[in-house]
Amino acid sequence: MDNDWLNIYSTSTTYSKPFKSTWTYLFVEVIAILITVFIALGISFVCVRFFIKKPKHSNFFHHQNIAKSNSRLLHFSFWIICIVFVLAFLNISTLIFYTFFKADVLSPFAFLDFHTFLYLHSFELTLASCLTFLLLIVLVVKYIDFTRKKNDYEFFKKQFRIIEYNNPQINTIIEEMSIASNTQKPLVFFLKDNSINAFVTILKKDNQEQYALVLTRGLILNLNRDEIQAVIAHEFSHIVNQDIQAGLQLAGYAFCLDFFSKLGLSLLRTLSKTRRTSSKKNNGANLILILGITMVLIGYVGSLGARLLQSLFSKQREFLADSSATQYTRNPEALLNALIKIDKFEKNNTQLQSHNKNALSTYSHMCFSSVFKGIFSTHPTIKQRIERLEEILKLR
Amino acid sequence: MTLLIIICIALLGIILGIILYIIRIYNQLVELHNQLGNAFSQIDIQLKRRYDLIPNLIDNVKQYMQYEQDTLNQVIKARNEASEALNLVSDSLDLSSVKKLELAENVLSQTIRGLNVKMEAYPELKANENVAQLSQELISTENKISFARQFYNDSVTLFNTFKQSFPQILIANHFKRFQSDAPLLEIEDKEQIKQNIKTDFYS
């Protein structure tokens, strides 16, 4: 077992089979990959547990800095997890070809190993690495597709039945906040939804990327001017801190890992179909079975970890947005009151179904109050946010 | 021999790292300094808007307030002085010119407040749509000025803290434009501003 660690991390090639049968090798290899993945997850979570800091005094600039450094740490551990998963992925896809073509060389990293390329001139290896590249390209394309799709202006308006909004009072608030945060004025939209919420996103209109701010009907009906200003300031700080881009990026990675497990599932599904038609046993089918199962496992574990990290990251960004909002308005009471009102509103109207949950859940990362509750929630609980704001209020 | 080469390479690496670090700090200083200028130009835009609105308002008010020529002249004078002070600051953003602008702005705010009090005595002014719109716009511009000033002061704090901390201070002291601290801008009483913001939009 000790050697398998080396097998995954070193590029040194063992030109002979380390095990007697290919099957034992495969089995050990798969287990080693799984162990690596779990250890990577474990290490990153331990890091996150011990290194996430809490603000110590009540200056909002201090709060901002703490949230910024925390989210930087989370982003970094997200990257590490992604790299580990890409390595695991490479490993598996090269494994497939080794076993299929019954190549004598058993190095899972031959793909990265120039020696193998240069000295063996192996057709199978070249094919294997080409196909691995192809799969990676598919993942990248999927990722880019995911990040681009939602950006179209017309598509956005049609999909969520959102209308442009023009109200002089809201406009003055937005002008003031764009001056206070030194950003361009975004497009403003109105969402027919009774819950109190707001979000920002990037839209592509006339080949120009523009920020769009969406306010719900509940927000405009239930909050007063100061509170609406606080909510809008919170959204502006999402623009200033570039949370939309970061959120999309993380969602893209998580989506790719999800896609990976789906690939494994479809592999298993095709396998079960062929099994039904021909009951003849063959090694290839067994191989695909193992590969399918590991792919599904890696995909699920990966996307679970990714989503957990994503939610931790997003929570830190919310704290950052809250403290930046107090910087722009210099009025933490208004933000506090808005949060209290939302809390009360949600408790009183548990029956009230929002008609337009689709739009809010798509952009849940950029919303003002959380759309989902639970462990994967994108926002800290209202209680935690109120606690931090009260700490900021101590200063005054 | 190999040891020597390794040590040389390590030393070179360390020196290169230090140089890159210095370059980074310098670039950050430039970025924050430019952000300062940008933040001031935001105030500049709003102040100029205000200086444009005042003569307009006076023109509209003149025919009703013939007996208040003194007040009107005072406002115009204060406005011209503030405008000049602003031009001075736009040329060079240093402590003395900023202080001058602060003073001129304080005088202007006071005279405008005086004008507003006098205007209360003329009910026909309130009926005039032009005047109502102009004074509304003046108030909203004042709000914007206060937000722009807030952002400017935040950028100043950011720049000064960055510049004064170690090791940035070693680098900042070598360049003339980063040597002096950027001046904070305090045009009005803080209490006054808070009141302005709270009362304006419900009226």
Side-chain angles (χ1 to χ4, degrees):
Chain A
M1 283 299 282
D2 290 351
N3 287 338
D4 296 304
W5 268 92
L6 285 174
N7 257 329
I8 286 161
Y9 285 118
S10 73
T11 52
S12 71
T13 329
T14 39
Y15 289 109
S16 61
K17 288 181 188 176
F19 295 100
K20 272 176 192 165
S21 111
T22 325
W23 285 110
T24 349
Y25 179 79
L26 251 182
F27 182 69
V28 171
E29 186 67 36
V30 162
I31 288 190
I33 291 167
L34 280 180
I35 289 172
T36 343
V37 165
F38 276 112
I39 286 174
L41 277 179
I43 288 172
S44 57
F45 274 106
V46 166
C47 283
V48 163
R49 270 274 157 260
F50 284 103
F51 288 105
I52 279 197
K53 287 170 279 181
K54 274 190 174 175
K56 285 185 203 90
H57 45 89
S58 57
N59 184 343
F60 50 75
F61 284 119
H62 173 68
H63 279 244
Q64 283 178 21
N65 288 338
I66 292 281
K68 267 182 199 164
S69 71
N70 281 346
S71 53
R72 216 173 292 136
L73 175 81
L74 286 165
H75 202 231
F76 181 68
S77 48
F78 200 98
W79 262 105
I80 286 181
I81 283 201
C82 280
I83 288 168
V84 168
F85 276 96
V86 166
L87 291 187
F89 174 68
L90 284 178
N91 228 328
I92 283 182
S93 51
T94 29
L95 254 179
I96 299 174
F97 290 97
Y98 283 131
T99 328
F100 263 126
F101 294 108
K102 297 201 168 61
D104 274 343
V105 189
L106 272 169
S107 155
F109 260 74
F111 161 70
L112 294 175
D113 188 357
F114 286 104
H115 281 282
T116 335
F117 263 128
L118 292 176
Y119 297 116
L120 291 180
H121 298 292
S122 154
F123 167 72
E124 288 87 4
L125 272 175
T126 323
L127 196 69
S129 37
C130 282
L131 278 164
T132 317
F133 256 133
L134 214 70
L135 271 167
L136 273 179
I137 286 167
V138 168
L139 277 188
V140 168
V141 167
K142 277 261 167 199
Y143 165 67
I144 291 169
D145 192 41
F146 179 85
T147 51
R148 284 282 160 81
K149 205 175 76 189
K150 285 187 273 180
N151 286 0
D152 189 59
Y153 176 75
E154 296 299 328
F155 176 77
F156 177 77
K157 266 172 87 173
K158 223 178 262 171
Q159 196 187 8
F160 303 119
R161 271 170 276 129
I162 282 171
I163 45 172
E164 272 185 73
Y165 190 53
N166 203 359
N167 171 317
Q169 204 186 32
I170 300 289
N171 279 349
T172 46
I173 295 176
I174 286 167
E175 268 171 28
E176 283 171 11
M177 284 301 101
S178 64
I179 289 169
S181 61
N182 199 21
T183 44
Q184 273 194 336
K185 254 172 59 177
L187 302 165
V188 189
F189 293 96
F190 182 76
L191 179 69
K192 282 180 190 162
D193 189 290
N194 284 331
S195 63
I196 304 177
N197 225 328
F199 64 87
V200 276
T201 182
I202 302 176
L203 287 187
K204 210 166 191 183
K205 189 187 177 186
D206 308 331
N207 278 330
Q208 255 189 336
E209 293 209 324
Q210 264 184 308
Y211 289 103
L213 172 69
V214 182
L215 307 167
T216 63
R217 183 166 59 201
L219 177 94
I220 288 158
L221 290 180
N222 290 308
L223 302 185
N224 66 27
R225 187 190 186 269
D226 278 6
E227 288 154 6
I228 291 177
Q229 194 181 35
V231 172
I232 288 176
H234 176 105
E235 296 309 322
F236 264 93
S237 78
H238 278 314
I239 297 178
V240 173
N241 297 314
Q242 303 205 312
D243 292 352
I244 306 164
Q245 290 88 333
L248 268 178
Q249 213 183 7
L250 293 196
Y253 298 147
F255 178 78
C256 282
L257 288 172
D258 227 34
F259 175 75
F260 192 62
S261 71
K262 271 182 195 142
L263 211 71
L265 264 182
S266 62
L267 213 66
L268 288 180
R269 215 167 284 143
T270 44
L271 188 72
S272 69
K273 266 180 201 159
T274 50
R275 274 270 170 92
R276 237 170 264 150
T277 48
S278 64
S279 56
K280 202 173 72 181
K281 261 192 174 181
N282 60 343
N283 276 353
N286 275 333
L287 177 77
I288 292 173
L289 186 72
I290 291 180
L291 285 171
I293 288 170
T294 41
M295 272 170 92
V296 170
L297 267 175
I298 285 181
Y300 274 141
V301 172
S303 60
L304 189 83
R307 241 181 274 161
L308 262 174
L309 274 181
Q310 206 185 339
S311 84
L312 284 172
F313 176 81
S314 164
K315 277 172 188 163
Q316 291 300 323
R317 295 317 266 190
E318 292 303 322
F319 283 135
L320 174 62
D322 277 354
S323 46
S324 305
T326 53
Q327 187 201 332
Y328 301 146
T329 58
R330 298 291 151 106
N331 193 359
E333 290 104 328
L335 191 58
L336 197 69
N337 289 340
L339 282 171
I340 291 169
K341 261 191 192 173
I342 289 170
D343 199 26
K344 267 188 196 160
F345 183 84
E346 279 175 0
K347 270 175 193 155
N348 291 338
N349 301 299
T350 42
Q351 303 301 319
L352 185 92
Q353 282 291 314
S354 56
H355 332 284
N356 233 328
K357 195 134 195 171
N358 192 15
L360 290 176
S361 57
T362 316
Y363 297 98
S364 61
H365 284 272
M366 297 305 118
C367 279
F368 178 71
S369 72
S370 60
V371 184
F372 310 110
K373 302 252 156 27
I375 191 163
F376 292 122
S377 166
T378 50
H379 288 57
T381 58
I382 287 185
K383 207 181 144 200
Q384 286 170 329
R385 288 169 77 180
I386 286 176
E387 270 170 21
R388 294 240 173 152
L389 280 174
E390 273 168 352
E391 196 158 317
I392 290 174
L393 265 168
K394 272 184 207 162
L395 192 70
R396 334 216 120 209
Chain B
M1 194 60 197
T2 41
L3 193 74
L4 201 72
I5 291 171
I6 287 170
I7 288 171
C8 279
I9 289 172
L11 272 177
L12 269 176
I14 288 167
I15 290 168
L16 198 75
I18 289 170
I19 290 171
L20 283 178
Y21 187 58
I22 289 172
I23 290 173
R24 193 163 155 261
I25 285 176
Y26 179 77
N27 286 347
Q28 270 172 321
L29 274 169
V30 170
E31 196 186 322
L32 287 173
H33 196 260
N34 286 348
Q35 197 190 342
L36 218 70
N38 177 26
F40 189 81
S41 75
Q42 293 299 319
I43 308 180
D44 193 277
I45 291 166
Q46 300 302 332
L47 284 178
K48 273 186 183 143
R49 172 102 187 105
R50 191 192 196 190
Y51 301 151
D52 290 344
L53 281 171
I54 289 167
N56 256 332
L57 183 72
I58 298 287
D59 278 347
N60 275 296
V61 166
K62 227 186 239 163
Q63 39 182 322
Y64 298 97
M65 297 173 80
Q66 281 155 357
Y67 304 106
E68 313 278 359
Q69 275 307 330
D70 268 5
T71 324
L72 296 183
N73 285 341
Q74 260 178 15
V75 173
I76 289 289
K77 199 179 149 218
R79 178 248 172 219
N80 289 341
E81 265 168 22
S83 179
E84 266 169 37
L86 181 64
N87 283 338
L88 216 85
V89 178
S90 302
D91 293 341
S92 67
L93 196 68
D94 56 12
L95 199 65
S96 64
S97 54
V98 166
K99 278 273 174 292
K100 243 179 224 166
L101 178 68
E102 272 178 33
L103 202 75
E105 271 294 318
N106 277 337
V107 172
L108 180 62
S109 299
Q110 270 169 21
T111 51
I112 285 180
R113 230 171 287 141
L115 179 69
N116 279 337
V117 171
K118 291 254 164 77
M119 271 163 71
E120 292 288 315
Y122 296 82
E124 61 265 40
L125 269 178
K126 274 188 185 163
N128 188 325
E129 229 170 70
N130 263 343
V131 173
Q133 205 193 335
L134 278 170
S135 49
Q136 191 65 35
E137 219 165 309
L138 203 61
I139 290 167
S140 94
T141 314
E142 255 157 47
N143 272 335
K144 281 175 195 163
I145 290 170
S146 74
F147 278 114
R149 206 194 57 241
Q150 177 189 303
F151 181 73
Y152 170 78
N153 283 346
D154 284 348
S155 325
V156 166
T157 321
L158 206 68
F159 173 72
N160 286 351
T161 331
F162 183 78
K163 199 198 75 138
Q164 285 160 10
S165 9
F166 187 82
Q168 287 89 314
I169 189 158
L170 298 179
I171 295 153
N173 278 343
H174 281 283
F175 298 96
K176 205 183 168 193
R177 59 173 169 160
F178 298 138
Q179 263 168 11
S180 56
D181 282 357
L184 285 166
L185 192 62
E186 286 178 38
I187 289 175
E188 270 177 289
D189 263 0
K190 274 169 191 161
E191 287 307 309
Q192 196 72 47
I193 287 158
K194 256 190 183 172
Q195 269 180 0
N196 269 352
I197 292 168
K198 278 194 178 149
T199 47
D200 287 339
F201 280 87
Y202 291 112
S203 56

